[in-house]
Each structure stands twice: as structure tokens, then as C-alpha cells.
């Protein structure tokens, strides 16, 4: 099992450019999440999904869109990148059981100039 | 408003000694708590958890204590080893809140010195 994988690992964008971050999991998990980690602020939830075809807003959703067309994939889109979106992005997945933990991917480091 | 707080950004302990990492929360609806460990350039990995119906959970060298009345939990690592050097995040969840969302603290950098 590869677990949770994220593509790409690194990316540099110019202000106004768009991009999509891909998260894939091979554990047949129902729940998937996108977080961003910034210095001194821990991990903050951007968007999440409780199953294929569903998405919901987290704590900091502005400037991002997501899609969950297939159960194993969760895409995070930036339509018009801003320097404030410079961050490390983590994807996570979790099975549909009580007392479960989230499994995290290795992260994508994004810099917006 | 930070609902989960880790007030110590860093902690340094000697190998073999006990490491105690602390976490406070403000949301009384939280009923499940987790600790994650994170090495540089990697994603967080799950370490140990505790539900609000317990006050202690132990797994090898790691023990988590929960004091619901004080809204405080702590992670004890004993004995501490150099490989434990990492950032530790406390996280909290409402099991019936929908989506099983986690709220994270800001992390504590643990350094275990030889």
C-alpha cells in the first residue's frame, strides 16, 4: 500500500496563476481532507469530503476549490494564486469508523511569488 | 480563536528522561483527542489517542492523560530517545460533529539530547 500520496511535491507559481494539487489514497477511505500548515499556526482545515461526490468547507476555504469525483482522489484547486497561499499543503484520509485516525500524505510545498 | 493550544513552542530533554508535552482546549464539545508526530519534510503520523470517557491511554513508551475538568491533556514519553526529536501536534475532534474534522494545536518542537 502506498497510503496517501500527493502530487506535486514542490511548486512555484506567479500571482494569478492557477494549479491543481492531487491527493490519492489506496486504503478505500471514505473521508478525505486538505490542510495547510503555516509557521506558528499548526494545521488548518481547508476543505474536506465525507464520501465520493461530496465536499464541504473547513476553517480556511477562501481562494480554494475541491472536487471528489472518485473515492480515491481529492483535488485541491487554486484558481488565482496569491502570495498568502504560500504554504505547505497536506492531504489526509480516514476510514468510516469511530475512533479512527487520519493518515497524512507527505505534503506539497507551494510558493506564490 | 485558537480552540486547541500548545503553549510551549519547544522542549528540550535529555535522553532517557521523561518528556511531557502539554495541550489545552476550550471547546467542551471535543470528545476525542489525538497526538501526531511530524518530522521535517514529512506528513504528520498518528501517535496515540484518547476518548473523553477515559483519563489515560498507554502505548509502549507513550502515555496520554486527559483531565476533562481542566480541559487539559498531556503526552508523556518515557524514556525519551533521540529519534523522538520531532514536532508534536495535539488535535481534537467532535465524534458526532460530522466529518470527523480535527482541530490542531500549533505544535511543540521536542529535542532529545544525548
Amino acid at each position: 500500500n502506498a497510503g496517501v500520496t500527493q502530487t506535486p511535491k514542490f511548486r512555484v507559481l506567479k500571482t494569478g496563476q492557477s494549479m491543481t494539487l492531487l491527493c490519492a489514497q489506496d486504503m478505500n477511505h471514505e473521508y478525505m481532507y486538505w490542510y495547510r500548515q503555516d509557521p506558528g499556526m499548526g494545521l488548518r482545515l481547508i476543505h474536506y469530503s465525507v464520501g465520493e461526490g461530496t465536499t464541504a468547507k473547513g476553517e480556511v476555504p477562501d481562494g480554494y476549490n475541491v472536487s471528489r469525483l472518485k473515492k480515491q482522489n481529492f483535488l485541491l484547486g487554486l484558481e488565482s494564486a496569491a502570495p498568502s497561499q504560500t504554504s505547505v499543503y497536506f492531504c489526509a484520509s480516514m476510514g468510516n469508523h469511530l475512533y479512527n485516525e487520519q493518515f497524512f500524505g507527505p505534503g506539497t510545498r507551494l510558493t506564490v511569488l | 480563536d485558537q480552540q486547541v493550544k500548545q503553549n510551549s513552542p519547544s522542549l528540550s530533554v535529555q535522553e532517557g528522561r521523561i518528556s511531557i508535552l502539554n495541550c489545552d482546549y476550550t471547546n467542551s464539545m471535543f470528545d476525542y483527542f489525538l497526538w501526531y508526530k511530524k518530522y521535517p519534510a514529512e506528513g504528520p503520523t498518528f501517535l496515540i489517542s484518547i476518548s473523553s470517557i477515559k483519563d489515560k491511554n498507554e502505548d509502549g513508551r507513550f502515555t496520554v492523560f486527559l483531565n476533562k475538568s481542566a480541559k487539559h491533556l498531556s503526552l508523556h514519553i518515557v524514556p525519551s530517545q533521540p529519534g523522538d526529536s520531532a514536532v508534536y501536534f495535539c488535535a481534537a475532534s467532535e465524534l458526532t460533529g460530522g466529518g470527523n474534522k480535527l482541530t490542531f494545536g500549533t505544535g511543540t518542537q521536542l529535542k532529545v539530547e544525548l
Side-chain angles (χ1 to χ4, degrees), chain A residues 18-73:
Chain A
S18 63
M19 78 162 294
T20 300
L21 283 68
L22 171 64
C23 176
Q25 52 94 5
D26 60 3
M27 296 173 283
N28 200 34
H29 283 169
E30 290 294 331
Y31 296 88
M32 295 188 75
Y33 308 84
W34 275 107
Y35 294 89
R36 59 178 289 173
Q37 185 193 9
D38 302 294
M41 299 192 75
L43 283 84
R44 292 182 294 167
L45 183 64
I46 304 171
H47 286 280
Y48 66 101
S49 169
V50 301
E52 181 179 315
T54 75
T55 63
K57 294 180 180 180
E59 181 186 355
V60 288
D62 293 342
Y64 305 95
N65 56 74
V66 287
S67 64
R68 183 104 181 264
L69 299 179
K70 293 182 179 180
K71 186 177 184 178
Q72 64 267 35
N73 295 337

Side-chain angles (χ1 to χ4, degrees), chain A residues 31 33 40 48 94 99 102 104-105, chain B residues 32 36 43-44 99-101 106:
Chain A
Y31 296 88
Y33 308 84
Y48 66 101
M94 188 177 73
Y99 303 125
Q102 294 182 15
F104 282 81
Chain B
Y32 188 51
Y36 280 83
N100 290 300
K101 302 184 295 292
T106 52

Side-chain angles (χ1 to χ4, degrees), chain B residues 15-93:
Chain B
E15 181 181 13
R17 298 289 191 109
I18 185 171
S19 296
I20 300 176
L21 294 88
N22 294 303
C23 178
D24 297 293
Y25 61 96
T26 58
N27 186 343
S28 58
M29 299 300 291
F30 289 147
D31 50 12
Y32 188 51
F33 304 89
L34 307 90
W35 285 93
Y36 280 83
K37 177 179 179 179
K38 185 182 180 306
Y39 293 117
E42 295 184 10
T45 54
F46 170 74
L47 194 56
I48 192 169
S49 63
I50 187 168
S51 90
S52 59
I53 61 175
K54 294 185 175 182
D55 54 19
K56 176 183 175 181
N57 189 26
E58 193 171 355
D59 184 2
R61 295 185 298 114
F62 304 92
T63 303
V64 57
F65 295 91
L66 175 63
N67 182 333
K68 281 185 63 179
S69 60
K71 295 191 177 65
H72 177 82
L73 63 155
S74 60
L75 174 67
H76 293 211
I77 306 173
V78 55
S80 300
Q81 299 174 353
D84 297 329
S85 297
V87 177
Y88 289 79
F89 289 100
C90 171
S93 174

